[in-house]
Amino acid sequence: MKSIFYTRFFILLPWILIVIIVIDIDTKRLSVRNTASFYLSRLGNVHGSNATSLPVIYAITPTYSRAVQKAELTRLANTFRQVPQFHWIVVEDSNSHTELVSRFLARSGLRYTHLNVFTPRRFKRTGMPRATEQRNLALGWLRGHRSVKDKGIVFFADDDNTYSLALFEEMRSTRRVSVWPVGLVGGRRYERPLVEKGKVVGWYTGWKADRPFAIDMAGFAVNLQVILSNPRALFKRRGAKPGMQESDFLKQITKVEDLEPKAKNCTQVLVWHTRTEKVNLGNEPKRQQDSVYIEV
Amino acid sequence: MKSIFYTRFFILLPWILIVIIVIDIDTKRLSVRNTASFYLSRLGNVHGSNATSLPVIYAITPTYSRAVQKAELTRLANTFRQVPQFHWIVVEDSNSHTELVSRFLARSGLRYTHLNVFTPRRFKRTGMPRATEQRNLALGWLRGHRSVKDKGIVFFADDDNTYSLALFEEMRSTRRVSVWPVGLVGGRRYERPLVEKGKVVGWYTGWKADRPFAIDMAGFAVNLQVILSNPRALFKRRGAKPGMQESDFLKQITKVEDLEPKAKNCTQVLVWHTRTEKVNLGNEPKRQQDSVYIEV
């Protein structure tokens, strides 16, 4: 009798232990995983299972060679590195990839696509819209490399603006075309879409108020599927007037009444149209005087 | 005979399973923990055991109210958030903490100290050194709140410069006073200390080459213990000439031959003296025209 009891006990005990251990692992592993994915989700490169289901933000950044270029790209990358599911499309105004930008991107820790197209000299005049060719090349790349299966948001991120991290979480839910205020633009503290009952009904702006979309390039995002289903929507050179690039582009893909207001019904400034001063190089020696070459 | 075999089998099997499970948990938990701490170490707020043994970087940032202030602080915070063991000392040029800066810091996710001191009006003239009172107040705070037990590095981080993350890892090993090149300063692409056999022997600069330390505020860091053991070392108003703030301060705590060159013997530019354009608010309406107040 006693021997049967012991046998049963020794058979049951380990099985009970196994059950306890398995339950214990599951809770612990879950909590470790949650902690990890919380921090992972704050980083751009690596994504937990939640992050990969987010639409990718494709930020299109035209850039050109100048004294402050690497500095500008450095602070942009410092911001973008904290945006989950981020893909940076950098388009140089040059005949080929420059070494500076290539090296910079390779070390940035960001997912990126590096493109280039040279702006014809006749378009490089004051009053002419800038970066048209670069933005269009990026749109062409998206149309050639992404399909209806891909979830994404397209945003035009000029290289001298200032972006808060909150901006990217606002734009991520864009269904077709979303809009929000932009700080320090048009000669005012900010410009913004005026919203009534969740719809855009006008524009608070100090400049060319009669534009169909009185909005800066930094003030809107477009769902990738809208870009793909309007394959001819592009930024225009022919007939384009200064400051009309945004309107010319947006009227090809949406209507004012369909715009989705973000940033608490367009009452928060989460992006600033900052401008960096042109650098004074008046004391730069005519000939190389330093003993080494230093990239700046 | 058969029955004994089965009994033994059923007793041994679960024990073997337990051993396998326990071994399995240990490996998995270890790898999850390693992955997590790798990413945690890239973030400023939370630190693994490695990060806490690093000296804290105290970045002293004087700031003043202007149109681009929040934009500048936003991109600074975006950079600093990725620096482990970081403590931001923000000193406003104001009679009290402004709401904008208080709110901004509280939401920044950074460890910070918020101070303020108003620059007397007689010192607010062109040609006068700027932010003297703010930097000195921060030095006073460090002397009052830190002791010989604290490991730290002190760095003067103006709010419009551009900082690469690599800069902070270079300065972290500062024993007394370290130096490195600064981009886009003094009318040149860069200024830098000239180094021979690991010692600073001169300065590559296009401006006031006869300064004892021909270096910008962004070009050096000081070990916290040097700040504490030289309690009277401060930035000077009396007798201070424009552009001499750095030299006046550094000669109180070090000698040129004792400087520690960083950034590959001062041949890499990891910080840029960028300047943000003053904002044109020419189209701002005289009276509040918008229906809501929006912070910019």
Side-chain angles (χ1 to χ4, degrees):
Chain A
M1 200 47 212
K2 214 176 173 184
S3 118
I4 291 177
F5 174 80
Y6 277 118
T7 315
R8 283 189 185 164
F9 177 78
F10 279 110
I11 291 178
L12 279 173
L13 177 75
W15 286 111
I16 292 165
L17 272 173
I18 288 178
V19 170
I20 291 171
I21 291 173
V22 167
I23 290 171
D24 185 61
I25 304 170
D26 266 10
T27 16
K28 282 203 183 141
R29 203 174 282 170
L30 210 68
S31 77
V32 173
R33 206 175 278 160
N34 282 346
T35 319
S37 78
F38 171 74
Y39 290 104
L40 291 177
S41 70
R42 292 176 59 180
L43 291 159
N45 301 348
V46 188
H47 311 284
S49 53
N50 282 336
T52 45
S53 72
L54 291 175
V56 175
I57 289 173
Y58 295 95
I60 296 174
T61 301
T63 188
Y64 66 100
S65 183
R66 61 201 191 279
V68 298
Q69 183 180 30
K70 193 175 172 189
E72 298 283 38
L73 295 175
T74 297
R75 46 187 174 191
L76 270 194
N78 284 352
T79 295
F80 294 163
R81 214 174 283 119
Q82 290 164 84
V83 182
Q85 286 286 87
F86 186 89
H87 185 133
W88 198 9
I89 307 182
V90 177
V91 196
E92 286 195 80
D93 182 352
S94 61
N95 281 318
S96 57
H97 290 190
T98 63
E99 269 190 53
L100 186 147
V101 176
S102 305
R103 244 195 318 260
F104 178 84
L105 288 173
R107 292 177 189 166
S108 69
L110 287 160
R111 198 193 307 176
Y112 68 89
T113 297
H114 185 183
L115 306 171
N116 71 282
V117 54
F118 189 66
T119 307
R121 212 161 283 279
R122 65 182 181 283
F123 296 141
K124 285 189 170 167
R125 281 179 293 158
T126 13
M128 282 283 199
R130 296 174 67 182
T132 307
E133 287 71 20
Q134 287 74 33
R135 291 194 189 99
N136 285 341
L137 185 66
L139 292 174
W141 184 89
L142 284 169
R143 286 168 181 142
H145 294 81
R146 290 298 179 269
S147 74
V148 285
K149 287 177 298 182
D150 295 301
K151 290 199 294 177
I153 310 295
V154 180
F155 171 57
F156 297 96
D158 284 358
D159 67 358
D160 48 359
N161 290 339
T162 301
Y163 307 94
S164 72
L165 298 183
L167 178 73
F168 299 96
E169 295 328 303
E170 287 292 321
M171 74 173 75
R172 209 182 289 273
S173 59
T174 304
R175 290 178 189 195
R176 298 191 54 81
V177 180
S178 63
V179 290
W180 54 77
V182 177
L184 312 177
V185 70
R188 290 203 173 181
R189 292 174 62 240
Y190 61 88
E191 283 185 348
R192 74 179 187 103
L194 296 168
V195 179
E196 268 173 31
K197 293 177 186 157
K199 295 273 181 190
V200 174
V201 294
W203 310 92
Y204 175 82
T205 174
W207 186 78
K208 279 203 181 187
D210 59 338
R211 289 173 287 167
F213 297 82
I215 198 168
D216 184 78
M217 200 65 79
F220 66 91
V222 183
N223 191 294
L224 176 64
Q225 293 310 320
V226 174
I227 298 291
L228 300 184
S229 60
N230 291 275
R232 307 184 75 178
L234 286 172
F235 290 92
K236 289 177 186 172
R237 275 281 175 206
R238 185 166 288 190
K241 287 172 202 146
M244 294 300 280
Q245 288 230 96
E246 295 86 348
S247 280
D248 283 345
F249 179 71
L250 286 170
K251 71 186 182 192
Q252 298 171 66
I253 55 170
T254 189
K255 292 177 190 133
V256 173
E257 57 267 32
D258 294 337
L259 294 173
E260 300 150 40
K262 299 288 177 189
K264 292 199 176 157
N265 275 322
C266 298
T267 63
Q268 288 183 315
V269 171
L270 302 175
V271 54
W272 297 260
H273 192 259
T274 39
R275 291 271 156 257
T276 305
E277 269 184 17
K278 205 164 178 284
V279 175
N280 160 26
L281 294 179
N283 292 328
E284 190 67 14
K286 292 282 170 292
R287 290 184 213 162
Q288 170 72 13
Q289 278 190 341
D290 203 353
S291 51
V292 286
Y293 174 78
I294 297 183
E295 184 182 274
V296 179
Chain B
M1 199 50 209
K2 215 176 174 184
S3 116
I4 291 175
F5 174 79
Y6 277 118
T7 315
R8 285 191 182 163
F9 178 79
F10 279 109
I11 291 177
L12 279 174
L13 177 72
W15 287 111
I16 292 166
L17 273 172
I18 288 178
V19 170
I20 293 173
I21 291 172
V22 167
I23 291 172
D24 185 60
I25 304 170
D26 267 10
T27 14
K28 281 204 183 140
R29 203 173 282 171
L30 210 69
S31 77
V32 173
R33 207 176 277 161
N34 282 347
T35 318
S37 76
F38 171 74
Y39 290 105
L40 291 178
S41 71
R42 291 177 58 181
L43 291 159
N45 302 349
V46 189
H47 310 285
S49 54
N50 280 338
T52 44
S53 72
L54 290 175
V56 175
I57 290 173
Y58 295 94
I60 296 174
T61 301
T63 187
Y64 65 100
S65 183
R66 61 200 192 278
V68 299
Q69 184 181 29
K70 192 174 172 190
E72 298 283 39
L73 294 176
T74 297
R75 46 187 173 190
L76 270 195
N78 284 352
T79 295
F80 294 162
R81 213 174 285 120
Q82 291 163 83
V83 182
Q85 286 286 86
F86 185 88
H87 185 133
W88 199 8
I89 305 182
V90 177
V91 195
E92 288 195 81
D93 182 352
S94 61
N95 281 318
S96 57
H97 290 191
T98 64
E99 269 190 51
L100 187 146
V101 176
S102 305
R103 244 195 319 261
F104 177 84
L105 288 173
R107 292 178 189 166
S108 69
L110 288 161
R111 197 192 310 175
Y112 67 90
T113 297
H114 185 181
L115 305 171
N116 70 281
V117 54
F118 189 65
T119 307
R121 212 164 283 278
R122 66 183 181 282
F123 296 142
K124 284 187 171 170
R125 280 179 292 159
T126 16
M128 283 282 197
R130 296 174 68 182
T132 307
E133 287 72 20
Q134 288 73 35
R135 292 195 189 98
N136 285 341
L137 184 66
L139 292 175
W141 184 88
L142 284 168
R143 287 168 181 144
H145 294 79
R146 291 297 180 269
S147 73
V148 285
K149 287 177 298 182
D150 296 301
K151 288 200 293 176
I153 310 296
V154 180
F155 172 57
F156 297 97
D158 284 359
D159 68 357
D160 50 358
N161 290 339
T162 301
Y163 307 94
S164 72
L165 298 183
L167 178 72
F168 299 95
E169 294 329 302
E170 287 292 321
M171 74 174 74
R172 210 182 287 275
S173 58
T174 303
R175 291 179 189 192
R176 297 192 53 83
V177 180
S178 63
V179 291
W180 53 77
V182 177
L184 312 177
V185 71
R188 290 205 173 178
R189 291 175 62 241
Y190 61 88
E191 282 184 349
R192 73 178 187 103
L194 296 169
V195 178
E196 268 173 32
K197 293 177 188 159
K199 296 273 182 191
V200 174
V201 295
W203 309 92
Y204 176 82
T205 175
W207 186 77
K208 280 203 181 189
D210 59 340
R211 287 173 287 167
F213 297 82
I215 198 167
D216 184 77
M217 201 63 78
F220 65 92
V222 183
N223 192 296
L224 176 64
Q225 293 311 319
V226 174
I227 298 290
L228 300 184
S229 60
N230 292 274
R232 308 185 74 178
L234 285 172
F235 290 92
K236 290 178 185 172
R237 276 279 175 210
R238 185 166 289 190
K241 288 173 202 148
M244 294 301 280
Q245 288 229 99
E246 295 87 347
S247 279
D248 283 345
F249 179 72
L250 286 170
K251 71 188 182 192
Q252 298 171 66
I253 56 171
T254 189
K255 292 178 190 135
V256 173
E257 57 265 34
D258 293 338
L259 295 172
E260 300 151 40
K262 299 288 177 187
K264 291 198 177 158
N265 274 323
C266 298
T267 62
Q268 288 183 315
V269 171
L270 302 175
V271 55
W272 297 262
H273 191 259
T274 39
R275 291 271 156 256
T276 304
E277 270 185 16
K278 207 164 177 283
V279 175
N280 159 26
L281 294 179
N283 292 328
E284 190 68 13
K286 292 282 171 290
R287 290 183 214 164
Q288 170 72 12
Q289 278 191 343
D290 204 350
S291 53
V292 285
Y293 175 77
I294 297 182
E295 182 181 276
V296 178

